[in-house]
Amino acid sequence: MSEKNKLLTIGQFAALHGINKKTLMWYDEIGLFKPAAINPENGYRCYNYHQSPILETILLLRELDVSITEIQAFMRDRSAENLKCLLDEKITALDLQLIHLQAVRKTLSNHRQNMVTLLNMDLSKISIVEKEERCLVTVDIDKDITFEEEVELITAETSRHRLGRLHDASYGSMISVASLQSGSFDDYSKLFIEIPFLTYKSGLHIQPEGKYLLAFHKGGWDKLPMRYQEILEYARRNGLTLSGYSYEKGINETVIDRVEDYIMQIEIAVSE
């Protein structure tokens, strides 16, 4: 007789598959996976090697969070077609979960980078950095829009892009360089939402790649015009041409309690 036809004890078979023997006992009790034989002398369950692929299929489906009821239905009508359909469904769900986890990881990395920036920043410094192109979801605003209306607009956009939580994205505001240069420091025209792994499609705002002036402002919004005046003077003094929008976002909301400690990051596209 082939060695593979020999019977294994429940303990041996459980160890072979890296599970507890109580799992096999439960599968037997609910009729999901029966032993190959019962020892007539002591009533112990015995299994053979040829049952391994079936058990491994069950364990794989359980790892994919397939319910016992679904697995029982499959086991009653096992076929290549039924297994393919079941696996197609779970692979689709797993792909969506992976996309979500990648987005969460990117969000965490962004938050971590903000903390690194906080720990090493010189608030008075204005520098030039290189940035990659990014796609942003934007909503139009004006001076007359209320805070409640802004919240409604953001809520609608996050829902439309199927964001489960606000922390799944980064948020900020945009004011045109033309408004800054004319002294209209409260003339904000857009709010933006940066969603991880957002791909380009019609209607999205593109923040172009290239050189950006990078500056920071600490404190309330009432002192922000003074910071913009410093930025405009820095650009004039260094022969820099500002263009497009100023992109503002807070980088320390999670670690402060007072608006006086709020730090805003400012990015404006520049050319020399």
Side-chain angles (χ1 to χ4, degrees):
M1 180 177 68
S2 169
E3 290 292 318
K4 291 185 177 180
N5 288 328
K6 287 185 177 180
L7 293 177
L8 302 172
T9 67
I10 189 171
Q12 291 171 324
F13 197 67
L16 178 65
H17 293 278
I19 60 175
N20 192 297
K21 64 181 183 180
K22 289 184 178 179
T23 300
L24 288 173
M25 294 170 66
W26 180 53
Y27 285 171
D28 182 16
E29 290 169 4
I30 64 176
L32 179 60
F33 184 73
K34 292 289 187 180
I38 302 293
N39 189 314
E41 297 179 1
N42 52 29
Y44 290 170
R45 298 171 175 87
C46 297
Y47 299 81
N48 65 45
Y49 181 83
H50 297 291
Q51 291 181 282
S52 288
I54 298 174
L55 178 60
E56 282 298 325
T57 299
I58 293 172
L59 296 177
L60 171 63
L61 294 176
R62 289 297 291 150
E63 194 170 338
L64 293 172
D65 289 329
V66 180
S67 70
I68 290 295
T69 301
E70 288 178 287
I71 298 175
Q72 286 174 322
F74 165 70
M75 293 298 290
R76 285 193 296 268
D77 188 19
R78 270 192 304 146
S79 69
E81 180 62 28
N82 287 344
L83 182 57
K84 178 185 178 298
C85 291
L86 192 55
L87 293 177
D88 283 345
E89 177 185 332
K90 296 306 171 183
I91 287 171
T92 298
L94 187 59
D95 285 343
L96 292 174
Q97 186 179 1
L98 287 172
I99 291 171
H100 173 69
L101 289 175
Q102 288 174 329
V104 169
R105 189 187 189 287
K106 185 169 183 179
T107 300
L108 292 177
S109 295
N110 289 341
H111 285 315
R112 181 184 181 280
Q113 184 56 51
N114 286 343
M115 296 306 103
V116 170
T117 300
L118 284 172
L119 293 171
N120 297 281
M121 73 188 335
D122 177 353
L123 284 173
S124 64
K125 183 179 180 182
I126 298 176
S127 58
I128 306 299
V129 298
E130 289 283 345
K131 286 190 61 68
E132 296 180 353
E133 178 183 282
R134 63 174 177 167
C135 300
L136 302 173
V137 176
T138 60
V139 294
D140 294 330
I141 58 172
D142 56 40
K143 296 178 183 178
D144 299 325
I145 195 169
T146 65
F147 175 72
E148 289 76 13
E149 289 171 330
E150 288 184 2
V151 170
E152 289 179 3
L153 290 170
I154 290 293
T155 301
E157 286 301 307
T158 54
S159 175
R160 190 163 72 88
H161 289 275
R162 300 180 181 178
L163 284 176
R165 302 276 184 177
L166 288 178
H167 65 236
D168 289 339
S170 298
Y171 300 82
S173 53
M174 297 164 55
I175 182 170
S176 71
V177 167
S179 292
L180 296 177
Q181 291 173 333
S182 68
S184 302
F185 297 112
D186 60 348
D187 190 21
Y188 288 87
S189 55
K190 296 178 185 293
L191 301 176
F192 72 78
I193 309 169
E194 182 179 9
I195 302 173
F197 303 110
L198 184 66
T199 55
Y200 176 77
K201 58 183 178 181
S202 178
L204 292 180
H205 173 84
I206 302 299
Q207 182 180 359
E209 67 176 358
K211 291 183 178 181
Y212 279 76
L213 181 150
L214 175 65
F216 299 94
H217 168 69
K218 183 177 181 180
W221 281 263
D222 57 324
K223 300 290 196 303
L224 187 55
M226 294 175 57
R227 185 54 168 159
Y228 271 123
Q229 288 171 349
E230 293 172 354
I231 290 171
L232 292 171
E233 174 57 23
Y234 175 89
R236 185 195 65 76
R237 195 169 60 247
N238 289 277
L240 301 174
T241 300
L242 306 180
S243 62
Y245 292 89
S246 172
Y247 299 85
E248 305 174 354
K249 71 172 182 178
I251 63 172
N252 68 336
E253 297 103 320
T254 57
V255 292
I256 62 168
D257 295 315
R258 306 183 313 154
V259 68
E260 293 86 354
D261 297 322
Y262 181 82
I263 296 177
M264 177 188 295
Q265 176 178 289
I266 298 169
E267 297 176 345
I268 310 175
V270 297
S271 57
E272 297 179 279

